[in-house]
Amino acid sequence: MQLLSLISFMDLNQWMVLLMFIVFIVMLFRGIPVAYALVGVSLVFIVLAQFVLDPAADAIQNYIEYDETRIEYRKMFANAGRFFGGVIQNPVLVALPMFIYMGLMLDQSGVAQRMMQSMQVLFGALRGGLALSVMLIGIILAASTGVVGASVVLLGVMGLPTMMKQDYSKTIATGTIAASGTLGILIPPSIMLVIMSDQLAISLGDLFMGALFPGLLLGGLYIVFIIVWGLLNPKAMPLPENREPVTMKIVLDVLISVIPPMFLILLVLGSIFFGYATPTEASGLGALGALTLALMNRRLNGKVFKDVMRQTMNTSGYIVGIFIAANFFAYVLRLYGGDEIIKNLVLGSFDNKYMVVVFILFIIFLLGFLLDWIEITLIIMPLMLPVVIGLDIPVDGYGVVDNPSVVWFAILVAVTLQTSFLTPPVGFSLFYLRGVCPPGVTLGHIYKGVIPFVLLQLFGLFIVFEFPWLVTWLPAIAYGN
């Protein structure tokens, strides 16, 4: 007790906030599921608030000015419904299972397989043609599914055996597939942007429109890299021995194969862009459109429908479970004054407001090696929101975009989190791809293959940082009209 009297209550809070994060990371490394780790840590520290901090504060209240409202653990039990009702009844999050269903059903519709077959014939005569086919299909899938796992597995199953048969470098083949499949988390409709919209209290339409150019920018950088690498290192992407001449029939086959996913993209993003539907309503249109495509291609049956529904339920339940647990964790963190502590720490680190943003992005980049994008989005983003608002960075919203600096920051974080899918040890795209690799392709090949694409992601992040209009111009045009 004498020791506690020698330190201030704020100092004790700082230690408790730091200890919360350390215990959480340790539990993750012990293999404990994320939701259980978040809830477990929160329960432990809420007990500490009642039986340790409150008595300590009473003992030292003669030495410091103590704010009795700082620790309000009793209110947590009275507000338990907010952890469940606030998530389940959130209209924005209704779009989450719809977009997941759309992506999974499109995966079963056979649309991607047909695109791969036609594009391989069209680009097969070019050096790096197979890699370009995979990348273009990855961009189209990203704009019509938004489910990274499904895209990476689908591209790996369809593209990797063909690339290996043509003696492609294992590193360039695996890196291309992992990077192209990962675009689905950035190019709208993206489930990550849906969650960011809720956590940052900004328009989902602004995020969808704002992420389109940065997502296409990354895709364009990948394509340029593949072309240049093929010219500099032709042995990595050899030409096929029997090259078919490109005919009008082949071109028409490609155009016909691209029409269905483009229809779905227009149905979802077009309805949002032209103001015919909200993002939540557009998610329902997308789910119906994907179901229609599967039916038209005669790929829909009872088993497929049941499997897609089960996967949608499992994925949505996983995300919502973490959502509730993260809300619990964030609430307890605020009881310790963690949001104010982190805000003061970050703002006090640099005098330049842009360096503060760079510092935050660097921290998120490092966390991407250890945490999934869901944990980073749900835990870190709400803590950084007051910091970004406090910086008051002048980002042009053209008089239409609400909170343009927050929208810009959210897209910067989304681009940064692209790297979390490709960086070990928690790079989920790496493990999705490893699960469908043919014999002879190792995890080492995949690690080496993604390095240039991670560097391209960081270069794309720099471009978006330097030119905020890449984020704000399109939503301003969409909603300004």
Side-chain angles (χ1 to χ4, degrees), residues 141-305:
L141 288 179
S144 53
T145 66
V147 181
V148 169
S151 296
V152 172
V153 170
L154 191 62
L155 293 173
V157 169
M158 294 188 302
L160 194 54
T162 307
M163 296 167 86
M164 293 297 95
K165 186 177 179 180
Q166 197 170 308
D167 293 327
Y168 265 59
S169 164
K170 295 176 182 177
T171 56
I172 193 67
T174 54
T176 299
I177 292 172
S180 59
T182 303
L183 287 170
I185 207 65
L186 176 61
I187 297 178
S190 161
I191 58 176
M192 179 170 69
L193 297 179
V194 175
I195 295 177
M196 280 188 176
S197 170
D198 173 75
Q199 293 297 290
L200 299 179
I202 52 179
S203 165
L204 180 56
D206 285 349
L207 285 184
F208 273 9
M209 294 297 104
L212 189 58
F213 282 167
L216 295 178
L217 170 67
L218 282 186
L221 290 174
Y222 295 162
I223 291 173
V224 171
F225 168 75
I226 291 171
I227 295 174
V228 173
W229 189 255
L231 295 175
L232 297 178
N233 191 6
K235 291 183 179 180
M237 291 181 280
L239 292 170
E241 295 180 358
N242 300 319
R243 287 177 281 175
E244 297 184 24
V246 177
T247 63
M248 184 58 66
K249 181 178 182 301
I250 293 175
V251 175
L252 288 176
D253 285 343
V254 172
L255 293 177
I256 293 173
S257 69
V258 170
I259 288 176
M262 294 305 294
F263 162 76
L264 195 61
I265 294 170
L266 182 63
L267 186 67
V268 176
L269 297 184
S271 61
I272 298 173
F273 187 92
F274 293 108
Y276 294 121
T278 65
T280 302
E281 294 166 342
S283 68
L285 290 174
L288 179 61
L291 184 68
T292 303
L293 291 179
L295 185 62
M296 291 174 60
N297 290 338
R298 299 181 180 179
R299 301 289 292 268
L300 183 63
N301 53 49
K303 182 180 183 302
V304 168
F305 184 77

Side-chain angles (χ1 to χ4, degrees), residues 99-108 147 150 308 311-312 315:
F99 283 132
I100 294 172
Y101 177 89
M102 181 181 74
L104 295 174
M105 183 57 75
L106 189 69
D107 180 27
Q108 297 291 334
V147 181
V308 170
Q311 292 180 57
T312 301
T315 305

Side-chain angles (χ1 to χ4, degrees), residues 16-30:
M16 298 302 282
V17 169
L18 178 61
L19 191 59
M20 278 189 72
F21 281 105
I22 292 176
V23 173
F24 171 62
I25 296 296
V26 170
M27 292 180 73
L28 288 183
F29 277 103
R30 295 286 294 178

